[in-house]
């Protein structure tokens, strides 16, 4: 069983039903190409399966979590996080924060000055698979085993 999931919104905001919009807002995925790390709880996998045609997810590993925090984590005012911010949160380094998040010990919503999402750009050199099909059908949506490489090209 996974301890946390890396979730990326792949679909835009147009023609999304209200029930999916509500679920995406609960996960802090308001816009296209936003990513977040969600702790694995009983209801998390159900939420992800419900919106599988709009997002892509994978178990969060430590390497991609460190990369996201180093390059894309922001605090209010869209400024980069500093060591002083980490000390206020009770962490010694970004590595310690990333390991705590990827192991599911803390949630992105609990680390308050840091925004609970990462703003990614479209992938360099484009998508290699269809953006309208699930992973099992040859696309990128749903539970995607190759999401880490895709996120690296989006950083």
């Amino acid at each position: 069983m996974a301890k946390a999931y890396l979730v990326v919104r792949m679909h835009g905001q147009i023609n999304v039903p209200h029930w999916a919009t509500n679920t995406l807002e609960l996960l802090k995925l308001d816009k296209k190409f936003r990513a977040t790390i969600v702790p694995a709880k009983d209801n998390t996998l159900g939420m992800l399966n419900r919106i599988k045609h709009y997002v892509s997810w994978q178990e969060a590993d430590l390497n991609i979590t460190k990369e996201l925090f180093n390059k894309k984590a922001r605090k209010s005012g869209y400024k980069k996080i500093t060591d002083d911010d980490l000390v206020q949160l009770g962490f010694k380094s970004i590595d310690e924060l990333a390991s705590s998040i990827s192991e599911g010990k803390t949630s992105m919503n609990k680390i308050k000055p840091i925004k609970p999402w990462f703003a990614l750009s479209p992938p360099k050199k484009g998508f290699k698979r269809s953006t309208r099909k699930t992973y099992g059908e040859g696309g990128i949506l749903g539970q995607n085993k190759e999401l880490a490489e895709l996120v690296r090209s989006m950083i």
Side-chain angles (χ1 to χ4, degrees):
M1 177 80 185
K3 297 178 182 172
Y5 294 109
L6 169 65
V7 186
V8 182
R9 182 170 180 170
M10 296 293 183
H11 194 278
Q13 297 161 301
I14 305 297
N15 294 333
V16 179
H18 69 89
W19 54 267
T21 304
N22 291 341
T23 307
L24 289 164
E25 285 175 4
L26 288 172
L27 292 173
K28 307 291 187 212
L29 297 171
D30 299 333
K31 295 180 180 179
K32 189 176 184 178
F33 301 138
R34 288 260 170 107
T36 189
I37 299 172
V38 199
K41 296 181 181 174
D42 295 336
N43 61 350
T44 308
L45 200 56
M47 290 171 76
L48 293 175
N49 279 324
R50 189 169 186 199
I51 57 170
K52 69 181 174 186
H53 295 288
Y54 306 101
V55 299
S56 184
W57 75 88
Q58 178 188 22
E59 293 180 17
D61 65 333
L62 187 58
N63 295 332
I64 195 70
T65 308
K66 279 184 193 177
E67 259 184 83
L68 282 168
F69 273 105
N70 280 328
K71 297 180 182 176
K72 290 293 183 176
R74 298 287 186 259
K75 60 183 179 180
S76 60
Y78 212 70
K79 298 175 183 169
K80 288 192 173 192
I81 56 174
T82 61
D83 293 333
D84 299 334
D85 298 325
L86 295 173
V87 170
Q88 285 180 345
L89 292 169
F91 296 103
K92 296 175 185 167
S93 67
I94 287 183
D95 296 341
E96 186 179 337
L97 173 63
S99 66
S100 174
I101 295 282
S102 66
E103 291 171 5
K105 294 178 182 170
T106 24
S107 135
M108 294 279 291
N109 295 334
K110 302 259 188 327
I111 50 175
K112 260 307 175 214
I114 299 175
K115 294 196 180 284
W117 43 262
F118 307 102
L120 302 177
S121 54
K124 293 176 181 73
K125 299 184 181 176
F127 292 102
K128 304 296 182 226
R129 307 178 109 207
S130 171
T131 58
R132 297 180 181 181
K133 297 179 181 177
T134 60
Y135 184 75
E137 297 170 340
I140 60 168
L141 300 174
Q143 188 167 8
N144 187 346
K145 297 174 185 169
E146 301 169 358
L147 185 63
E149 295 101 42
L150 185 62
V151 169
R152 279 195 181 90
S153 72
M154 295 171 89
I155 291 180

